[in-house]
């Protein structure tokens, strides 16, 4: 008789991968954050890909009128590619804050999760979400029943993408895939990308990863575990899905990119890696801004969207959107 399956990866007791490849998940992911549900924002859920049973959540300011042409902000959540949903309270609350502060229609898509669906599944799903918007835009004004009524008063020519942590990784890959001008999405036009502490990695550790491998909650071993669970089996931390400037990654000098804003906490493990990412893009002639938020650790933006620190970041995002709307 063979030995019984044993646990080879354990994420907080909520996700376990066994030696035979089987997976168990705790259906109730604890989240102490209360759900914000006030009158400032209206929201609803939609199915955007029936084949994969993928949903998204739309948010709009309750004060908006049909005469306004609201710009659109896609929000891709974090979770190391292994956790997360539009329904998680802290992601929902951030979307509420972004909707009211920026006066935009916010689109928060789900994606398939690893290890059941390893990368590039999440990247593919992120692209599908934008393709869904393209389909809505193409039918706009044709009285087609499939067009959602909330999209009748939006500006498909002013779309921005914001990704947090692993969502920031997705935003990067969208920027590279769609290239400057996002012509393959016409009539939708992506104007810029905001990467908040994007989840990247690499086999060569940076100074901050070596000297500060632990934050108050996160540590480098946790990050490595998420990579082992999410990247293709047999791949490494230099996979192009992990390391944008790895030995096997695409030469970004040849890729025209729309403007990118990179935001990172000064106390983050990945701080140096993300500064290097922004610096190298600048050296390639890309329009990139790098903002370091002094003393903050990973999750400061998502976990506390109504804090004074988050407010300053949102103001900077608003400036970025305004600067790149034309």
């Amino acid at each position: 008789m063979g030995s019984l399956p044993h646990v080879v990866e354990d994420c907080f007791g909520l996700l376990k991968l066994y030696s035979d490849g089987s997976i168990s998940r705790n259906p109730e992911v604890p989240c102490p954050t209360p759900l914000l549900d006030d009158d400032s924002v209206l929201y609803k859920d939609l199915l955007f890909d029936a084949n994969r049973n993928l949903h998204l959540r739309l948010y709009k300011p309750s004060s908006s009128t049909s005469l306004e042409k609201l710009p659109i902000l896609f929000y891709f959540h974090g979770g190391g590619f292994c956790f997360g949903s539009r329904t998680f309270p802290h992601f929902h609350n951030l979307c509420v804050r972004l909707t009211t502060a920026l006066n935009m229609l916010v689109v928060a898509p789900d994606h398939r999760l690893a290890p059941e669906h390893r990368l590039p599944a999440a990247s593919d799903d992120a692209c599908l979400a934008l393709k869904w918007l393209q389909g809505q835009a193409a039918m706009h004004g044709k009285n087609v029943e499939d067009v959602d009524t909330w999209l009748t008063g939006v500006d498909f020519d002013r779309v921005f993408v914001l990704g947090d942590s692993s969502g920031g990784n997705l935003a990067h890959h969208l920027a590279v895939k769609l290239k400057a001008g996002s012509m393959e999405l016409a009539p939708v036009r992506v104007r810029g990308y905001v990467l908040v502490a994007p989840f990247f990695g690499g086999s060569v550790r940076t100074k901050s990863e070596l000297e500060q491998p632990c934050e108050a909650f996160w540590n480098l071993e946790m990050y490595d575990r998420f990579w082992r669970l999410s990247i293709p089996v047999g791949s490494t931390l230099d996979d192009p899905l992990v390391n944008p400037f790895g030995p096997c990654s695409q030469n970004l000098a040849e890729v025209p990119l729309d403007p990118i804003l990179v935001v990172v906490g000064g106390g983050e493990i990945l701080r140096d890696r993300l500064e290097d990412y922004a610096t190298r893009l600048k050296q390639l002639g890309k329009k990139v801004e790098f903002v370091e938020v002094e003393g903050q650790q990973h999750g400061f933006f998502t976990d506390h969207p109504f804090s004074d620190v988050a407010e300053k970041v949102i103001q900077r995002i608003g400036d970025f959107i305004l600067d790149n709307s034309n």
Side-chain angles (χ1 to χ4, degrees):
M1 294 180 62
S3 59
L4 293 175
H6 59 276
V7 175
V8 294
E9 298 286 358
D10 187 341
C11 268
F12 316 120
L14 302 173
L15 168 63
K16 296 180 181 180
L17 174 66
Y18 294 87
S19 55
D20 64 353
S22 61
I23 298 162
S24 67
R25 282 184 181 270
N26 184 335
E28 298 296 330
V29 177
C31 184
T33 305
L35 187 72
L36 178 64
D37 189 5
D38 59 21
D39 296 332
S40 64
V41 168
L42 302 174
Y43 65 91
K44 66 178 179 180
D45 293 335
L46 296 174
L47 179 72
F48 75 90
D49 188 276
N51 292 331
R52 296 172 176 82
N53 193 33
L54 292 172
H55 294 77
L56 56 78
R57 181 166 288 180
L58 294 181
Y59 299 81
K60 70 173 182 177
S62 57
S63 59
S64 65
T65 69
S66 59
L67 298 178
E68 291 183 271
K69 292 198 71 176
L70 294 176
I72 300 170
L73 178 69
F74 272 83
Y75 168 74
F76 291 101
H77 65 72
F81 305 108
C82 297
F83 297 101
S85 161
R86 71 199 185 283
T87 63
F88 278 29
H90 53 313
F91 298 146
H92 170 86
N93 293 350
L94 176 58
C95 288
V96 169
R97 183 72 188 107
L98 292 169
T99 302
T100 57
L102 301 175
N103 195 38
M104 301 178 76
L105 180 92
V106 173
V107 185
D110 284 346
H111 61 72
R112 288 170 292 170
L113 300 177
E116 295 92 334
H117 304 282
R118 291 177 177 266
L119 291 171
S123 292
D124 293 343
D125 296 345
C127 189
L128 282 173
L130 284 161
K131 290 286 188 179
W132 168 84
L133 184 68
Q134 180 187 34
Q136 294 285 308
M139 294 185 291
H140 191 257
K142 297 181 180 179
N143 296 320
V144 179
E145 292 183 359
D146 289 339
V147 179
D148 190 88
T149 56
W150 282 23
L151 298 174
T152 58
V154 299
D155 189 348
F156 293 108
D157 192 57
R158 286 192 297 155
V159 177
F160 291 83
V161 173
L162 187 157
D164 182 31
S165 191
S166 57
N169 178 298
L170 299 181
H172 161 80
H173 288 289
L174 281 171
V176 173
K177 174 178 172 53
L178 297 175
K179 303 181 177 63
S182 54
M183 293 302 295
E184 69 177 81
L185 287 180
V188 169
R189 172 71 162 87
V190 179
R191 296 282 177 173
Y193 299 81
V194 180
L195 282 56
V196 179
F199 187 36
F200 296 139
S203 60
V204 178
R205 302 297 196 187
T206 66
K207 182 180 178 181
S208 61
E209 290 168 352
L210 291 171
E211 295 183 357
Q212 187 179 308
C214 297
E215 299 179 23
F217 178 79
W218 298 103
N219 60 61
L220 200 55
E221 171 52 30
M222 291 179 181
Y223 288 174
D224 288 347
R225 184 180 302 120
F226 278 123
W227 287 126
R228 291 194 299 269
L229 286 166
S230 61
I231 61 177
V233 174
S235 192
T236 72
L237 290 180
D238 284 326
D239 188 296
L241 296 164
V242 181
N243 187 351
F245 287 101
C248 300
S249 298
Q250 183 178 1
N251 182 3
L252 296 182
E254 303 171 355
V255 182
L257 298 175
D258 280 313
I260 295 174
L261 170 64
V262 181
V263 180
V264 63
E268 295 204 40
I269 296 167
L270 296 181
R271 184 248 174 239
D272 288 357
R273 183 173 298 280
L274 302 185
E275 183 182 38
D276 178 71
Y277 165 80
T279 299
R280 293 175 75 165
L281 286 180
K282 287 181 182 179
Q283 291 171 345
L284 295 176
K286 314 304 181 186
K287 185 177 180 181
V288 180
E289 300 175 49
F290 178 77
V291 174
E292 178 179 344
V293 185
E294 184 178 358
Q296 298 301 308
Q297 298 188 347
H298 198 69
F300 76 92
F301 186 61
T302 306
D303 294 343
H304 307 286
F306 291 87
S307 67
D308 292 340
V309 172
E311 178 64 25
K312 292 179 181 178
V313 173
I314 291 173
Q315 289 176 0
R316 187 65 198 86
I317 293 171
D319 291 341
F320 174 80
I321 290 171
L322 184 63
D323 292 343
N324 294 288
S325 288
N326 298 312

